[in-house]
Amino acid sequence: MPIQTLEPQRLYRQIAEQLRELIGKGEFAVGARIPAERDLARQLGVSRPSVREALIALEVEGWVEVRTGSGVYVLDRSQRTPPPANGAAGIEWGPLEIIRARRMVEGETAATAAQHGKRKDVDAMRRAIRMMRELAANGEVPHEGDRAFHLAIVNACDNVVLTETVQGFWESRHGPIFARMIDYFETMESWQVAIGEHELILDAIAARDPAAARSAMHEHMDKFHQRFSASWRRTKAS
């Protein structure tokens, strides 16, 4: 198969572009199954999560259909409107890159909050976790509580640039690729685990332990990344 090894930069965009080109040239016919994720990763010289991001980008654009337990299949695009240049993969940050960036930035905001945060900041974090618990108990995805928690941490740093940066991370969750990743890999069970991770971050900040707060945030982001790197769990919403 005419696939070229990729440089380790903006990987999911490069992968999506190459697969899109191969589909357009007929290398993968309509109805054909794309090679398995692990095989594509090996041939491209990249990680499986990066391949998964690319496949989800192509799914969002209508090039392929993901069928859990079966594979990824090429769709008929003859009656579809052509996507913008580079498609969704050309304009949206990669979800896994966002998580890695959040790990770096929010590890330090957690440490700073532990060092300089005020009682009102810690109270805001507690309220956010309480909101998360209540939403989850009602069977609702606790995104609002999650957002409130991370914003309470960065607000404790009293730095508008950091606050706007973290807000930008949250706005990126509304992109179609990130939203589809959430649809596949976030469950109420994973949210219960995540709430526990947030409580550990709060405990460290409340104890005014910057090193522990940084470590707890790093651990949370690492596990977040792992959840998004897991095997496919369920088909997309119809």
Side-chain angles (χ1 to χ4, degrees):
M1 183 170 59
I3 286 182
Q4 305 168 6
T5 301
L6 300 176
E7 294 297 323
Q9 55 183 356
R10 303 178 68 182
L11 285 178
Y12 96 93
R13 297 181 182 185
Q14 294 184 63
I15 297 165
E17 182 177 353
Q18 191 166 161
L19 292 176
R20 195 186 302 111
E21 183 177 347
L22 290 172
I23 292 171
K25 290 180 176 178
E27 292 289 340
F28 303 125
V30 172
R33 184 163 66 94
I34 299 288
E37 190 179 274
R38 64 179 178 277
D39 295 329
L40 284 174
R42 184 177 64 252
Q43 293 179 63
L44 292 164
V46 298
S47 69
R48 290 179 65 173
S50 294
V51 170
R52 183 177 301 117
E53 282 183 314
L55 292 173
I56 289 176
L58 294 178
E59 183 188 26
V60 167
E61 295 169 12
W63 287 91
V64 301
E65 177 185 11
V66 176
R67 302 177 192 169
T68 301
S70 178
V72 180
Y73 294 83
V74 178
L75 294 175
D76 182 1
R77 292 186 53 83
S78 61
Q79 305 300 318
R80 294 171 182 257
T81 302
N86 281 337
I91 60 175
E92 186 177 342
W93 291 343
L96 298 180
E97 286 186 337
I98 293 170
I99 296 170
R100 288 191 289 268
R102 288 187 62 189
R103 184 187 193 277
M104 295 177 66
V105 173
E106 296 194 55
E108 293 312 305
T109 61
T112 302
Q115 194 168 11
H116 300 294
K118 300 177 176 60
R119 182 186 183 115
K120 67 179 179 62
D121 300 310
V122 174
D123 288 343
M125 296 172 211
R126 287 202 174 97
R127 288 195 301 273
I129 290 181
R130 187 160 58 248
M131 183 191 303
M132 291 180 73
R133 289 199 200 100
E134 291 171 353
L135 289 169
N138 291 329
E140 299 179 52
V141 178
H143 282 158
E144 282 306 307
D146 190 19
R147 180 179 185 275
F149 178 78
H150 288 276
L151 288 180
I153 290 174
V154 72
N155 286 340
C157 300
D158 197 24
N159 183 305
V160 69
V161 175
L162 284 174
T163 297
E164 291 182 358
T165 298
V166 172
Q167 287 175 334
F169 290 149
W170 276 93
E171 289 168 4
S172 70
R173 294 172 66 95
H174 299 298
I177 299 171
F178 207 124
R180 188 56 57 89
M181 292 281 278
I182 289 172
D183 184 51
Y184 277 122
F185 300 111
E186 284 188 356
T187 66
M188 292 310 298
E189 291 77 12
S190 70
W191 271 111
Q192 292 294 344
V193 174
I195 291 172
E197 294 163 11
H198 286 72
E199 290 170 339
L200 293 176
I201 297 168
L202 171 60
D203 289 345
I205 292 174
R208 297 200 171 277
D209 188 335
R214 181 186 297 111
S215 179
M217 182 65 79
H218 285 171
E219 184 75 9
H220 170 50
M221 291 300 167
D222 288 343
K223 290 180 177 178
F224 186 15
H225 192 282
Q226 289 169 13
R227 288 190 280 271
F228 267 34
S229 302
S231 299
W232 302 102
R233 291 183 180 176
R234 57 191 177 93
T235 56
K236 69 181 190 302
S238 58

